[in-house]
Amino acid sequence: MKFWEALLLLFFLSEVLSQNKRNPKPNVRTPAQNRKGASSSGEAGRSLSAEEVPPVALPPVENVLVSQLRSPSQAPHPVLKSVDDMKLCFLRNTSVTCNDGTTAGYYLREAKGNKFWIIFLEGGWCCYNRETCDARYKNIRRLMSSSEWPQTKRGTGILSAHLDENPHWWNANTVFVPYCSSDVWSGTQPKGRHEYAFMGSLIIREVIKDLVPKGIKQAKVVMLAGTSAGGTGVLLNIDRVAALLEELEAEAVQVRGLVDSGWFLDVKPSRQADCVDATSCTPTDAIKKGLRLWNAILPEKCKQQFKKGDEWHCFFGHKLYSSLRSPLFVVQWLFDEEQLRIENIQLGIQTLMENQWNHIRNLGREMKNSLRDVAAVFAPACLSHTLITKSNWMDFQVKSVSLPRALHCWERRFQESAKTLKTPLRSCPFHLIDSCQWPHCNPTCPAVHDHTTGQEVNVKQTLLRMGLDLQKKAQELKVDPGNPMGMFRNGG
């Protein structure tokens, strides 16, 4: 009986193998390879047809069967590696390092044939002396060392490889540069005799150089993007990246910047004579201290506007913007939670005093004023921080226009005219600032959460916690006092 069972099993295997040879393997192609007619700028928004959807690559049938026959309990499950993931690459120049001396690097998802590149700088504030850097290394080591970085990373928002989440740039060449220099991407200081290295600006330079064999010199557009400290890093490095590509004989590449939540305001110095930790230092305090430690390199044209010792002004977008040559799109919540946190105002966990409420209102007004002359901007009147990498980034609107649409309009400006246009194309706006005057007056704002409990706080509760008299405000704005929530409208 055993003889016949073995004979039958061999016959079954031979049939499977011969069938596999007769049927050629499917031609597996990525979405970027399928779309031969895609725009070189990466702005293709159409859906894939059924014929263009790439089949999932499975292990050969015979390998799975043989492993199951050998030991059914140990048969491996098919491991499907996603083409959505960005793969970790370490810099070839190993002397350019993270804070702790480990080699810096980047994550890359290639799109062969596509000439649109997004290079994204991660955020994470900074450290500016031995104490703050030691605490940062102890508590958030991934922001100072590459030793525990995963081999792959999946992008979200504008870094997503999914058409429904990222309709215009889902198939762009995407580069994610982890933040491990703690210097707002400005430093040039090697480890040497110092406890830590601060080489953020040099990391950006080396990433660009490492991407040359990947085809970045043949790009049509390189968009340097970043959130929070990464957004400030875009402001500080955008012209330097453009100059480097020119040095590399890639003069045809158009370099643009996308700054998300990195447009900080230089508030009044803290009351303390010397701030002692990260929570008690304003952005101005921290930058002043860090400049020397990091051996920071700043845009030369901006530095020339200030006397020696006042170069710290160049870290703030409203003071740096006019001196930059490269085009920029600024994304900024009018009531940035990180700016408020740095100033020791945290929503949801405290009842705000009148002076704190006035400070929040003033922040919104000052932020609007600082963005008034920015050519391309998306500024919702919301309490939040960072936007472009949120998976729901398409949900937020200003004057009924979403951020992806505004960015796409900005892109069209460059495509449709080689001349500099001072006004947006008809029906395609990209200068969008909410006109209402208090936090969360835009109905598309993201939810606010209590920082201690994690529970969501709705808009009305948030404003009541701030001490805002909704009835009084409704009367001032001549809306129905019986329905004060009617004053929330898109675009103010």
Side-chain angles (χ1 to χ4, degrees):
M1 190 68 179
K2 292 182 179 179
F3 171 79
W4 289 109
E5 288 177 351
L7 187 61
L8 186 62
L9 181 59
L10 287 172
F11 176 79
F12 175 72
L13 278 175
S14 66
E15 280 296 303
V16 170
L17 291 170
S18 62
Q19 179 70 22
N20 192 61
K21 289 177 181 177
R22 286 195 297 269
N23 296 332
K25 293 180 181 178
N27 182 20
V28 179
R29 297 181 295 174
T30 64
Q33 291 168 327
N34 276 330
R35 303 174 65 258
K36 293 181 180 177
S39 163
S40 61
S41 66
E43 296 184 358
R46 66 176 180 84
S47 300
L48 294 174
S49 65
E51 292 77 19
E52 292 176 313
V53 176
V56 178
L58 293 171
V61 176
E62 63 267 31
N63 292 348
V64 176
L65 280 173
V66 170
S67 63
Q68 288 175 336
L69 288 168
R70 286 175 179 167
S71 178
S73 63
Q74 297 178 7
H77 296 287
V79 177
L80 307 179
K81 189 161 184 64
S82 173
V83 296
D84 301 346
D85 291 344
M86 296 176 279
K87 298 178 182 178
L88 176 61
C89 308
F90 288 104
L91 296 180
R92 288 178 297 178
N93 184 352
T94 57
S95 66
V96 176
T97 72
C98 300
N99 291 125
D100 68 345
T102 54
T103 305
Y106 59 96
Y107 290 85
L108 172 65
R109 183 178 66 242
E110 294 184 74
K112 299 293 186 182
N114 195 306
K115 294 188 177 181
F116 195 102
W117 288 72
I118 297 175
I119 300 175
F120 176 83
L121 307 180
E122 187 183 21
W125 197 212
C126 66
C127 65
Y128 42 83
N129 56 26
R130 177 66 181 270
E131 292 72 29
T132 57
C133 290
D134 284 348
R136 185 178 175 90
Y137 191 73
K138 178 181 178 182
N139 297 316
I140 330 174
R141 187 162 300 183
R142 68 173 186 82
L143 292 179
M144 299 184 76
S145 173
S146 65
S147 59
E148 297 179 1
W149 288 352
Q151 290 300 306
T152 60
K153 180 177 286 290
R154 182 157 300 187
T156 53
I158 200 172
L159 305 179
S160 172
H162 293 277
L163 186 65
D164 57 347
E165 184 176 335
N166 185 19
H168 305 303
W169 302 281
W170 64 274
N171 64 336
N173 295 279
T174 305
V175 183
F176 180 102
V177 190
Y179 184 37
C180 68
S181 56
S182 308
D183 55 5
V184 199
W185 297 98
S186 68
T188 62
Q189 180 65 55
K191 198 166 186 289
R193 56 188 174 82
H194 298 273
E195 186 69 22
Y196 297 107
F198 301 94
M199 308 182 79
S201 186
L202 299 181
I203 289 171
I204 296 172
R205 181 179 180 87
E206 292 303 313
V207 168
I208 298 293
K209 290 164 67 175
D210 278 12
L211 292 174
V212 170
K214 305 292 185 181
I216 198 170
K217 286 174 63 174
Q218 288 72 49
K220 181 179 179 181
V221 176
V222 171
M223 182 183 288
L224 185 66
T227 55
S228 195
T232 307
V234 172
L235 290 164
L236 296 174
N237 290 279
I238 184 71
D239 282 351
R240 191 168 289 110
V241 167
L244 175 59
L245 285 167
E246 287 182 12
E247 288 176 23
L248 296 171
E249 300 180 345
E251 295 92 348
V253 177
Q254 301 174 35
V255 178
R256 298 168 201 164
L258 176 56
V259 178
D260 175 14
S261 303
W263 191 271
F264 292 100
L265 299 180
D266 49 330
V267 296
K268 294 178 181 179
S270 59
R271 294 178 181 177
Q272 295 172 316
D274 188 23
C275 57
V276 294
D277 56 38
T279 60
S280 64
C281 276
T282 67
T284 302
D285 291 326
I287 295 303
K288 285 181 177 179
K289 287 176 172 291
L291 266 172
R292 296 184 296 274
L293 179 67
W294 308 330
N295 194 26
I297 185 169
L298 299 172
E300 195 60 38
K301 193 172 179 182
C302 179
K303 283 175 60 179
Q304 293 171 2
Q305 299 176 16
F306 302 100
K307 64 182 182 181
K308 190 171 183 179
D310 286 344
E311 297 93 344
W312 58 268
H313 287 282
C314 294
F315 276 83
F316 297 96
H318 62 290
K319 297 184 177 180
L320 171 62
Y321 177 77
S322 62
S323 67
L324 297 177
R325 292 184 297 117
S326 303
L328 283 173
F329 192 110
V330 177
V331 179
Q332 183 64 50
W333 304 106
L334 292 180
F335 303 93
D336 190 285
E337 281 190 304
E338 188 63 18
Q339 175 98 45
L340 291 172
R341 185 197 64 78
I342 293 171
E343 297 172 42
N344 204 29
I345 298 176
Q346 297 189 50
L347 306 168
I349 64 172
Q350 62 188 96
T351 301
L352 298 180
M353 306 295 289
E354 184 177 358
N355 66 323
Q356 291 177 311
W357 165 243
N358 290 334
H359 178 81
I360 293 173
R361 291 284 306 278
N362 289 336
L363 172 64
R365 282 195 292 266
E366 291 175 17
M367 192 66 77
K368 280 185 190 180
N369 290 335
S370 74
L371 295 168
R372 186 169 44 203
D373 296 327
V374 177
V377 61
F378 185 87
C382 304
L383 294 156
S384 195
H385 185 64
T386 75
L387 200 165
I388 63 174
T389 55
K390 294 182 184 294
S391 58
N392 63 337
W393 74 307
M394 296 176 66
D395 295 347
F396 313 120
Q397 299 181 3
V398 175
K399 304 184 189 302
S400 301
V401 179
S402 69
L403 174 56
R405 184 188 165 201
L407 277 169
H408 189 51
C409 288
W410 186 56
E411 274 296 307
R412 282 182 54 194
R413 163 193 174 174
F414 297 101
Q415 288 184 5
E416 297 183 7
S417 176
K419 299 178 181 179
T420 302
L421 300 179
K422 294 184 178 180
T423 57
L425 298 171
R426 183 174 296 178
S427 303
C428 203
F430 51 82
H431 184 90
L432 299 159
I433 303 176
D434 263 336
S435 55
C436 54
Q437 300 178 4
W438 54 90
H440 257 57
C441 56
N442 181 325
T444 70
C445 287
V448 174
H449 292 84
D450 188 301
H451 288 264
T452 53
T453 65
Q455 293 181 340
E456 182 177 327
V457 182
N458 68 32
V459 174
K460 186 174 180 179
Q461 289 174 333
T462 301
L463 294 176
L464 289 173
R465 280 173 179 258
M466 292 180 181
L468 177 65
D469 188 333
L470 296 181
Q471 296 287 341
K472 181 179 178 181
K473 286 296 174 187
Q475 291 174 347
E476 288 177 3
L477 295 167
K478 298 181 180 180
V479 272
D480 181 8
N483 180 28
M485 296 307 287
M487 63 188 178
F488 292 88
R489 57 193 185 279
N490 199 6

